[in-house]
Amino acid sequence: MTESLVQISMKDENNLNCSYAIVTKDTISVILIWKDLECGIFDYDALKKSSCASYLLLKHYYKSSYAKKDFYKLIGKMCKKHKDSKYFANRIIEDNRIVLDEFNHEHERNEEEKIIFEKRYSEFINFVLDHNSKF
């Protein structure tokens, strides 16, 4: 059995204007942060200790309804992942950025999207860094 501890704070119950979930397996935790049209997964302990927000996965969305649904789906996926997965004990350093397009299809960013999402990416990462002590 895969055992996970999940703590969730939705944006309507906190003062951060975002929703987040902390998923813990043994002593390793990841945090999923969903704000507006971005959702990122980060090493929770590293985020709390550092001024660097290095994501394990970052997703951009075209529709908020897709972002909300995917946030819940990602929580479930993190719960199902084995503690030795790349999200927990065996981290892989990679630029893992995905786009969920207006047709609800996932793909890696293309050249045009790299430009389109750069400002949103910067705003999201700055938000995470500005509030990392509050998660």
Side-chain angles (χ1 to χ4, degrees):
M1 176 190 328
T2 302
E3 186 174 320
S4 303
L5 172 66
V6 180
Q7 299 168 287
I8 298 176
S9 177
M10 300 305 289
K11 69 179 179 180
D12 60 350
E13 65 185 25
N14 64 47
N15 295 329
L16 298 172
N17 195 29
C18 75
S19 297
Y20 64 92
I22 302 164
V23 180
T24 304
K25 294 180 180 293
D26 289 338
T27 60
I28 304 169
S29 299
V30 295
I31 183 168
L32 297 87
I33 302 170
W34 164 42
K35 179 164 179 35
D36 304 325
L37 295 174
E38 272 67 45
C39 183
I41 301 175
F42 302 86
D43 176 322
Y44 182 60
D45 295 323
L47 183 63
K48 295 289 283 183
K49 295 176 186 172
S50 172
S51 61
C52 176
S54 179
Y55 56 84
L56 303 169
L57 173 67
L58 181 65
K59 294 181 90 171
H60 301 285
Y61 305 91
Y62 280 87
K63 295 182 180 179
S64 60
S65 60
Y66 293 166
K68 180 179 182 179
K69 183 177 179 182
D70 203 45
F71 174 69
Y72 293 125
K73 181 177 155 185
L74 287 170
I75 293 169
K77 282 185 169 187
M78 290 304 107
C79 289
K80 186 68 177 152
K81 296 281 183 195
H82 192 272
K83 65 182 179 183
D84 292 332
S85 77
K86 70 179 187 176
Y87 290 98
F88 291 92
N90 294 313
R91 301 264 164 72
I92 297 174
I93 305 301
E94 61 183 342
D95 188 14
N96 196 8
R97 282 172 71 178
I98 304 293
V99 174
L100 194 69
D101 67 23
E102 60 270 18
F103 304 109
N104 202 24
H105 298 115
E106 280 189 6
H107 62 272
E108 291 184 23
R109 295 171 301 145
N110 59 39
E111 290 303 313
E112 181 181 333
E113 289 170 330
K114 287 180 181 179
I115 297 166
I116 292 169
F117 292 118
E118 191 56 36
K119 182 178 180 199
R120 284 178 32 188
Y121 164 76
S122 295
E123 289 171 354
F124 179 70
I125 293 298
N126 287 335
F127 168 82
V128 170
L129 290 172
D130 289 346
H131 296 88
N132 67 343
S133 64
K134 298 174 187 167
F135 296 118

